[in-house]
Amino acid sequence: MTAILVTGGAGFIGANFVLHAIERSENTVVNLDALTYAGNLDNLRAIQSHPRHIFVHGNISDSCLVERLLIQYHPSAIINFAAESHVDRSIDGPGQFIKTNVVGTYELLESVRRYWLGLGGVAKKQFRFLHASTDEVYGSLGETGRFTEITPYAPNSPYAASKAASDFFVRAYHRTYGIPVLTINCSNNYGPFQFPEKLVPLTILKALRGEPIPVYGDGNNIRDWLFVEDHCSAITLVMERGRIGESYNVGGDSECKNIDVVGTICRILDEITPDLKVGSREKLITFVTDRPGHDQRYAIDTTKICSELGWCPRETFDSGLRKTIVWYLENQWWVDRVLSGSYKLERLGLGNNSCYDSAG
Ligand code: NAD
């Protein structure tokens, strides 16, 4: 039986990927996660006693632990989701982003290098290291154009800069040491288990509570949106058939202004669970001070993954949003438990507070 090592598999995308991998393959999944504020074992409740899921509480920077896991389970692939992932938190406290995304990825690559050099024959040839990156490394677009895999990196937030640095280390470990790496640069994900500091779940929860729904600046910033399950299928495909050393852009072909994302969520909620007291939830939309350095537009050209690997997203933005909204409505227990921690849907990222001070 083959094992894969997933890092950050208790977070939003990682947990969706672990569930996907357990359901659709025979692989044993070793799931290494430090359980930061964003890591949540509730995301993995459906497989908590599954014989092919092994959860390990630990840090990607802990090379003794990582190397023990590599020797013990002999994974044929590593998928690296472990990261600090929220732009607003990176504005309040960039240091943690450098520690996790840059130094953490470097430490992980060092462990992988020692492991991979010790492999022989088929195991060495078949091994893959897949790194989950973001479209934010490319910076901001004007009114036209899309990011391709050869768009120069121009990160604008501390989060994007830390991801760009990690991508460069991944690339360098391939070019210098021959590690068989693959990188995916994906657009904004949404779906089940997303921590409610991000736009889609934050809007759903604020709208359901009848509270003001914050929209940064004029709401005209544009992002591309991808349902998380479609990201998981792209990762599987790239891992199995992607060309070593290459990066692949992944997106939903769903460009949307933030204000339209919020408006659509309000209208879907009004349709499936009307609030007679509030009426139209769009009334709750409140424009707030813009995010410092807010990128204007991201758009993804997915020609490479579509033409080389035959990938395409299954969900439209409307169908994916509906699934996501229904999931949040049906999983109030999950929401209650997430919000019983230190995060209470408050505004982050004005650069005048550190969201890491109290957490240590
Ligand atoms: P997330 O913040 O929900 O989850 C990150 C997970 O990593 C958490 O479970 C956390 O506990 C874990 N983690 C953090 N530091 C760790 C460490 N040092 N060692 C081990 N585990 C650690 O993030 P996400 O939204 O699931 O994103 C996953 C990856 O995909 C990130 O690399 C992110 O940059 C990238 N990405 C995210 C999006 C998106 O829209 N969410 C889009 C493109 C790319």
Side-chain angles (χ1 to χ4, degrees):
M1 200 177 297
T2 311
I4 60 172
L5 173 65
V6 174
T7 71
F12 163 49
I13 303 174
N16 276 284
F17 180 78
V18 168
L19 293 166
H20 174 98
I22 291 286
E23 195 186 311
R24 287 157 203 251
S25 78
E26 294 302 312
N27 292 332
T28 293
V29 180
V30 182
N31 183 352
L32 174 66
D33 196 296
L35 296 180
T36 67
Y37 81 94
N40 184 353
L41 288 176
D42 283 345
N43 299 354
L44 301 160
R45 190 182 268 200
I47 51 165
Q48 65 182 2
S49 48
H50 195 288
R52 285 189 289 111
H53 178 231
I54 296 155
F55 182 79
V56 181
H57 183 194
N59 200 302
I60 54 169
S61 296
D62 182 348
S63 47
C64 289
L65 171 64
V66 172
E67 285 173 41
R68 182 171 63 70
L69 295 176
L70 295 175
I71 288 164
Q72 187 175 353
Y73 295 105
H74 235 72
S76 61
I78 297 176
I79 300 98
N80 182 31
F81 296 108
E84 291 294 337
S85 69
H86 190 37
V87 175
D88 288 344
R89 286 181 189 260
S90 82
I91 295 166
D92 289 338
Q96 190 60 42
F97 286 70
I98 295 166
K99 277 189 197 135
T100 300
N101 300 357
V102 186
V103 181
T105 303
Y106 151 73
E107 296 281 9
L108 180 63
L109 283 165
E110 275 293 279
S111 301
V112 170
R113 177 162 78 98
R114 287 189 279 271
Y115 169 68
W116 183 75
L117 285 175
L119 293 176
V122 179
K124 187 167 190 171
K125 207 168 157 214
Q126 288 182 345
F127 179 80
R128 298 287 183 272
F129 179 89
L130 190 142
H131 180 62
S133 189
T134 166
D135 58 355
E136 305 201 21
V137 295
Y138 296 122
S140 189
L141 289 166
E143 280 176 18
T144 57
R146 290 173 166 217
F147 300 132
T148 72
E149 288 78 0
I150 57 167
T151 302
Y153 275 26
N156 290 323
S157 69
Y159 164 66
S162 68
K163 292 298 291 184
S166 70
D167 294 4
F168 287 150
F169 273 101
V170 170
R171 176 189 159 91
Y173 270 61
H174 170 62
R175 298 292 280 246
T176 308
Y177 306 112
I179 313 288
V181 306
L182 296 148
T183 299
I184 288 187
N185 294 90
C186 189
S187 61
N188 277 20
N189 281 216
Y190 64 97
F193 304 116
Q194 188 166 31
F195 192 82
E197 64 191 358
K198 304 275 170 72
L199 182 65
V200 168
L202 182 74
T203 301
I204 296 170
L205 300 185
K206 290 279 191 189
L208 284 172
R209 292 167 164 219
E211 292 177 6
I213 304 169
V215 171
Y216 292 174
D218 60 7
N220 285 324
N221 304 71
I222 295 173
R223 299 291 180 264
D224 175 72
W225 294 89
L226 182 71
F227 189 60
V228 64
E229 181 65 27
D230 283 323
H231 189 185
C232 294
S233 69
I235 291 166
T236 306
L237 208 56
V238 169
M239 200 168 63
E240 288 170 357
R241 304 215 322 259
R243 281 187 290 134
I244 290 171
E246 293 288 316
S247 63
Y248 291 86
N249 281 358
V250 174
D253 203 13
S254 298
E255 272 185 65
C256 200
K257 289 181 182 171
N258 287 348
I259 186 68
D260 296 334
V261 173
V262 172
T264 306
I265 292 171
C266 288
R267 286 191 295 280
I268 296 174
L269 278 172
D270 290 346
E271 181 195 315
I272 58 183
T273 174
D275 184 332
L276 299 178
K277 225 166 76 194
V278 172
S280 162
R281 289 181 171 93
E282 281 180 270
K283 282 196 309 226
L284 300 170
I285 293 173
T286 309
F287 293 96
V288 298
T289 315
D290 206 354
R291 167 188 279 169
H294 203 178
D295 285 339
Q296 186 54 39
R297 176 172 168 261
Y298 302 152
I300 288 269
D301 183 336
T302 55
T303 305
K304 182 171 173 181
I305 187 167
C306 295
S307 59
E308 269 187 30
L309 305 180
W311 176 85
C312 62
R314 296 178 72 161
E315 301 295 339
T316 63
F317 194 35
D318 186 70
S319 67
L321 264 188
R322 281 175 189 274
K323 282 190 176 176
T324 305
I325 288 169
V326 168
W327 187 86
Y328 278 89
L329 287 171
E330 288 177 349
N331 288 279
Q332 191 58 47
W333 68 273
W334 183 92
V335 173
D336 290 344
R337 281 170 58 100
V338 166
L339 295 181
S340 68
S342 61
Y343 180 66
K344 302 276 185 250
L345 303 179
E346 70 274 21
R347 174 79 197 264
L348 300 169
L350 286 170
N352 52 10
N353 61 321
S354 171
C355 48
Y356 291 99
D357 282 353
S358 55

